[in-house]
Amino acid sequence: MAERLARAGGLDAASAGTHAMPGLDMPPEARAVLLERGADAAGFASRRVEARMLAGADLVLTATRAERAHCVTLAPATAAKTFTLRQFGRYLAALPPEPTTLRDIARVRGRLRAGSPLDDDLPDPFGGPIEGFRVCAETIADIITLLADRPRRDPG
């Protein structure tokens, strides 16, 4: 859902799962929630994350701290640009509303207290009722909006 919500928010995004079974469709509840939000659910097929994907990304956002750790283990050089969605949203919200780079986020990361799993992990709605998917999508959309509305500047 995060990939499709990010794209609907005007961001370039791709997704892959840390334990995904390649080639599967998304759950029907996820598809329904995306359609409710006006996001395109067509053509989705799951894929497993690979080190080269992480290395080529400008920013890596995961649903949980365990997924973040998995990604950083696969591609250690990506540690500074890898966050959980909720962690990144907290850091972004702590910055003044001006152009931002990952260096700015790193400074906030160093100043704010570490979050607990309750602070950082996005609950997985898989296998539950559609309302869990709606709550998950709302959290993701709020963070995507923070990111999409934030002016960016060249890191140089």
Side-chain angles (χ1 to χ4, degrees):
M1 285 193 307
E3 171 193 334
R4 299 311 173 101
L5 291 169
R7 287 181 182 181
L11 299 173
D12 183 22
S15 66
T18 56
H19 296 86
M21 298 270 305
L24 298 179
D25 196 2
M26 69 178 69
E29 298 88 351
R31 181 175 296 284
V33 169
L34 288 173
L35 293 175
E36 289 172 4
R37 294 182 150 275
D40 184 9
F44 177 84
S46 62
R47 62 186 181 150
R48 189 168 297 209
V49 69
E50 297 175 2
R52 66 176 172 74
M53 294 172 189
L54 299 167
D58 294 330
L59 175 66
V60 178
L61 298 175
T62 67
T64 67
R65 291 162 45 141
E67 291 171 353
R68 181 189 183 280
H70 181 90
C71 291
V72 171
T73 299
L74 268 179
T78 66
K81 66 179 181 181
T82 304
F83 306 84
T84 72
L85 276 158
R86 293 180 72 190
Q87 177 187 50
F88 188 78
R90 258 195 342 276
Y91 295 162
L92 201 56
L95 288 170
E98 57 192 38
T100 302
T101 68
L102 278 177
R103 278 190 231 161
D104 300 320
I105 296 291
R107 282 193 286 278
V108 171
R109 179 185 247 170
R111 284 195 333 254
L112 295 180
R113 71 169 179 80
S116 72
L118 291 176
D119 295 327
D120 288 347
D121 289 358
L122 188 61
D124 187 354
F126 186 77
I130 194 166
E131 190 53 37
F133 286 83
R134 288 185 179 120
V135 169
C136 182
E138 182 70 27
T139 301
I140 294 167
D142 288 347
I143 295 163
I144 296 298
T145 298
L146 269 177
L147 181 57
D149 289 350
R150 172 73 54 159
R152 288 177 276 299
R153 63 182 153 104
D154 184 21

